[in-house]
Amino acid sequence: MHKAPLFLVGIALAALSAGSAGAAKAPPPAIAAKEKRAQEVLAQVNALDIRFGKAVDSWNGARIDLAANRRALAANRVALRRAQRRARVVNGRLAQRLVAIYEHGATPTLLEVIVGASSIGNLLDRFHAAETVASYDRNLVEQAARATARLTSARGRLRRAEAKQRAVLDTLDGERQRIGAMLDRRRQLLSSIRSEVAAMKEREARRQEALAAAARAR
C-alpha cells in the first residue's frame, strides 16, 4: 500500500531535479538580458577603441608636421638674418663706392679710360675692367635682394602653414579627448554591468543550491 506513494514521490523528486538542472544550464531572463547588454557595450568599447587609436595616430601625425614646420621656420629665420646682413654689407659697399666715385673719382670716367689707354687693346681692357666692376657690384646687390625676398616669402608661407597646422592639431586634440572620454564612460559602464551579472549569477547559484537542498530534504 505504500509503494505507490513512494513511486510518486520519486517521480516528483526526479522532475524537480530535472527542472533544477535545466535552470542551471539556461540562465534566467534577467541574467541573459544583462549579459546581452554587456556584449552590446563591449562591442561599443571595441569600436570606440579603434576610433580612439585612429584619433591618436592623426593627432601624433599633426604634432610631427607642426614640429617639422617649426624647425623649418627656425632655419628660415637664421637664413633670413644672414641674407639681411649680406644685403646690408653689399649695399654698404656699393654706397661707399658711389661716394668714392662722387668725391674722388675712384672709378675712371670714359675720358680717363680713353686718355689713359696706351693702345687699343689696353683701352678695351680698361673698359672691360670698369664694366666688370660695375656689373659685379650690381649683381651682388641684386642677389642679396633676391635672397632676402625669397626667404621673406618663405617665412610668410611657413607662418601660414604653422597657423593652419595649429588649428588642425587643436581640432584633432579635441576629437581625441572627446572619444577618449566616451571610451572611458563605456568601459565604466561595461565594468558595472559585468559586476551586476556576477552578483546576479551568485544570487542565482545560491537560490539553486537552496532549491536543491529543499528537494533533498523532501
Side-chain angles (χ1 to χ4, degrees):
M1 293 183 60
H2 297 288
K3 288 183 179 181
L6 289 174
F7 177 72
L8 292 176
V9 169
I11 293 176
L13 289 174
L16 182 60
S17 298
S20 298
K25 291 180 181 179
I31 295 179
K34 278 290 182 183
E35 288 181 331
K36 181 180 178 182
R37 178 58 178 158
Q39 291 300 318
E40 292 172 352
V41 175
L42 177 61
Q44 294 171 3
V45 166
N46 291 335
L48 283 171
D49 195 42
I50 293 172
R51 286 180 59 191
F52 183 70
K54 291 179 178 179
V56 169
D57 288 343
S58 298
W59 179 67
N60 285 330
R63 290 175 63 199
I64 291 171
D65 291 343
L66 181 58
N69 186 86
R70 285 175 172 170
R71 287 193 298 270
L73 188 57
N76 170 271
R77 195 156 38 247
V78 172
L80 181 57
R81 283 199 297 266
R82 290 175 179 169
Q84 289 169 339
R85 284 197 299 268
R86 176 65 176 166
R88 286 194 297 269
V89 169
V90 297
N91 279 304
R93 288 177 180 173
L94 179 60
Q96 291 172 358
R97 189 180 298 278
L98 292 174
V99 169
I101 291 172
Y102 177 76
E103 293 180 347
H104 308 294
T107 299
T109 64
L110 177 60
L111 179 59
E112 289 171 335
V113 170
I114 295 173
V115 171
S118 59
S119 65
I120 294 297
N122 182 249
L123 174 64
L124 293 176
D125 288 343
R126 288 168 66 86
F127 267 124
H128 179 69
E131 178 61 26
T132 298
V133 170
S135 176
Y136 179 73
D137 288 342
R138 287 196 300 271
N139 286 339
L140 285 179
V141 172
E142 290 172 359
Q143 288 172 11
R146 284 196 297 270
T148 301
R150 184 175 63 253
L151 289 168
T152 301
S153 177
R155 181 178 60 177
R157 290 194 300 272
L158 288 169
R159 283 179 172 175
R160 289 191 294 273
E162 182 184 20
K164 289 181 180 179
Q165 288 169 340
R166 280 200 306 267
V168 170
L169 184 62
D170 290 343
T171 299
L172 291 174
D173 187 41
E175 181 71 2
R176 178 183 66 91
Q177 293 185 20
R178 186 180 67 83
I179 295 174
M182 291 171 58
L183 181 58
D184 287 341
R185 289 194 295 271
R186 290 288 96 180
R187 283 173 173 167
Q188 290 172 5
L189 177 60
L190 179 60
S191 178
S192 174
I193 293 173
R194 283 174 170 171
S195 296
E196 290 178 13
V197 169
M200 291 172 70
K201 285 183 175 180
E202 186 177 353
R203 288 194 297 270
E204 179 63 18
R206 287 198 299 268
R207 189 180 74 84
Q208 292 295 332
E209 288 175 1
L211 288 174
R216 287 192 298 271
R218 287 193 296 271

